[in-house]
Amino acid sequence: MTGPEDSTPEDRTIGRRALFATGAATALTLGTVSFASAAPGGESGGAPAERTRVVAGTLPPGTPDFVYLPVEVPRGVREIAVSYTYEKATVPAGTQNNALDIGIFDERGTELGGRGFRGWSGGARTEFFIRADAATPGYIPGPVRAGTWHIVLGPYTVAPQGLPYTVTITLKSGERGTTPKPVYPPPRAKGRGRAWYRGDCHLHSWYSDGKRTPAEIAALARAAGLDFINTSDHNTHASHPAWEGLWGDDLLILTGEEITTRNGHVLALGTDPGTFVDWRYRARDNRFGRFAREIRRAGGLVVPAHPHATCVGCNWKFGFGEADAVEVWNGPYTPDDEVSLQEWDNTLALAGRSGGSWTPAMGNSDAHRDPDRIGGPQTVVLADDLSREAIQAGLKAGHSYVAESSALSLAFTVSGGRGGHAGIGERLRVARDEPVTVRLDVTGAPGCTAAFVTDQGTLFTAPAGAVEWRTTASYATYVRAEVRHPPLVAGLPGPLAAFTNPVFLGD
């Protein structure tokens, strides 16, 4: 194997590096890749302007979640560039094939939740670069300082034959550029005072595995009739400054992240711009509570996403004790959304019986690329203002409903015989046997059916429009509304067009 001190700009170091444990059960570290010193100025400084190393190996089945490749970066480096490839295998039907993610940490280290994170692209890109004045989308611009950097490989799935990979690292020397000062979206838009505001809080740009630019997303959000959006690229905050100039009086842009663990995904909704939340843990590691608290300290909400999605690693395993809300409806309505809806409804029944707290539901598009429809679905929240604080307060209180588009609107109230009334997410305090009137007004849902759902199940249905029903607190601990399209399969419920958070009944 060629030693790094003897290499030229065209040399390639190829070899399998021995694996050894870092002390954590879920990570391994490869042997260190070393480069000769490189002075600023390229050849005139006495060192080549560009040096490259190549590392190849095979990860066996059962490899830990994260494999770190240390890279000794000398002084005088202007840019680090990384590319990688891996091989697919021939596998039997029903067996997961190879999938390998990638990212990088700088000389500040790989400590969980530490400051060393410099970017992540998952499996969306085969190469990236970082320098002071620019970086590949998903990565953080900034100086390439001397020290031990770590390329992180994430073997998402490994075939029985193993996962052969090759990583190519290139260091370029020369004068450093200037890191631009980030400009972040403001926390408030003009708004309409206390009103119902429409938003989509689960969106992906080309800063992770999406195909749309922030400008394209902002334009589509406005076209969809949205008042606010939340940025939620996978495992990176790199897009937070990329929305400069895209907000306006009519569009509030919140910053966040989709934290993509191996045991489920969670939205950090409306965190302080520039906040990074780590994802390198499983439910068995007992770390989620720590990072949920980090999200809240950064001013965000904790929202488990698509909890019953069928993709590998998507099913939510952390429980809902830390959740401020839960994404019950994700993108086009599918059977896993129906399972999420019914599971969430079960938690309402428990909260209604115990009088304890409950977790509000929301819906988002999870849009990545055409033809994914931004705002399909969207959460419509009653807020005092079009600001981060007010929108988050409305979501956390459950003063919201979910609709398939801005063409559909709901008005849902419950009133008692003595003039009391309650709206979505509230409690109507009435005696157990006092009659109450439930009213739902639906617009923009032709051909749909409206239903009132309680802890006993669906107790009343009618064509969507102006619908009323009478009940008591002894008969219904809570009431919520659903609007559905006709069934696609006889005997099964039709796809949702809209649904509300509940109104609870009783003292």
Side-chain angles (χ1 to χ4, degrees), residues 175-188:
E175 294 296 330
R176 294 177 178 173
T178 301
T179 303
K181 183 178 180 180
V183 178
Y184 296 124
R188 180 184 300 274

Side-chain angles (χ1 to χ4, degrees), residues 5-247:
E5 291 79 7
D6 302 323
S7 56
T8 69
E10 291 77 26
D11 283 336
R12 302 292 184 262
T13 299
I14 303 175
R16 295 173 185 270
R17 310 256 175 177
L19 291 170
F20 60 92
T22 63
T26 58
L28 291 175
T29 301
L30 296 162
T32 301
V33 178
S34 181
F35 285 79
S37 295
E43 300 287 357
S44 63
E50 184 174 310
R51 288 275 177 119
T52 296
R53 299 287 183 269
V54 176
V55 176
T58 298
L59 301 176
T63 294
D65 291 343
F66 303 102
V67 177
Y68 294 97
L69 175 60
V71 179
E72 290 294 342
V73 176
R75 295 180 62 185
V77 172
R78 177 177 65 92
E79 179 181 307
I80 181 169
V82 178
S83 64
Y84 82 118
T85 62
Y86 65 92
E87 297 178 16
K88 294 285 190 177
T90 301
V91 297
T95 301
Q96 294 291 335
N97 210 327
N98 289 325
L100 185 64
D101 294 342
I102 197 167
I104 196 167
F105 290 77
D106 66 19
E107 85 289 347
R108 291 172 291 183
T110 62
E111 179 186 2
L112 193 66
R115 299 177 60 199
F117 176 77
R118 290 296 292 272
W120 180 258
S121 48
R125 288 182 171 83
T126 59
E127 59 185 6
F128 62 85
F129 76 91
I130 296 173
R131 61 176 187 258
D133 59 344
T136 300
Y139 293 80
I140 313 301
V144 180
R145 294 177 290 264
T148 303
W149 289 51
H150 289 82
I151 297 167
V152 55
L153 302 175
Y156 200 69
T157 51
V158 180
Q161 301 94 316
L163 194 162
Y165 67 90
T166 301
V167 179
T168 302
I169 310 111
T170 299
L171 302 185
K172 301 177 182 179
S173 60
E175 294 296 330
R176 294 177 178 173
T178 301
T179 303
K181 183 178 180 180
V183 178
Y184 296 124
R188 180 184 300 274
K190 184 176 182 181
R192 305 181 297 277
R194 184 170 176 80
W196 291 92
Y197 294 101
R198 295 176 178 267
D200 189 346
C201 294
H202 190 165
L203 296 163
H204 296 280
S205 76
W206 67 354
Y207 281 79
S208 61
D209 62 343
K211 298 298 183 183
R212 291 166 171 152
T213 66
E216 290 170 331
I217 291 172
L220 289 169
R222 287 181 165 97
L226 300 182
D227 302 294
F228 66 93
I229 59 174
N230 177 69
T231 75
S232 56
D233 283 307
H234 293 282
N235 297 343
T236 183
H237 60 293
S239 72
H240 290 186
W243 300 86
E244 183 178 356
L246 298 177
W247 58 80

Side-chain angles (χ1 to χ4, degrees), residues 328 333 337-345 482 484 496:
V328 167
Y333 200 73
D337 295 309
E338 186 70 33
V339 173
S340 296
L341 178 70
Q342 298 306 326
E343 182 184 77
W344 170 70
D345 188 79
E482 292 182 356
R484 290 183 181 261
L496 276 179

Side-chain angles (χ1 to χ4, degrees), residues 333-383:
Y333 200 73
T334 56
D336 62 272
D337 295 309
E338 186 70 33
V339 173
S340 296
L341 178 70
Q342 298 306 326
E343 182 184 77
W344 170 70
D345 188 79
N346 289 339
T347 69
L348 299 181
L350 178 61
R353 291 194 300 271
S354 66
S357 61
W358 59 284
T359 304
M362 65 183 309
N364 302 297
S365 72
D366 199 0
H368 284 70
R369 59 187 65 83
D370 293 338
D372 296 353
R373 184 169 61 86
I374 288 175
Q378 55 194 247
T379 300
V380 190
V381 57
L382 180 62

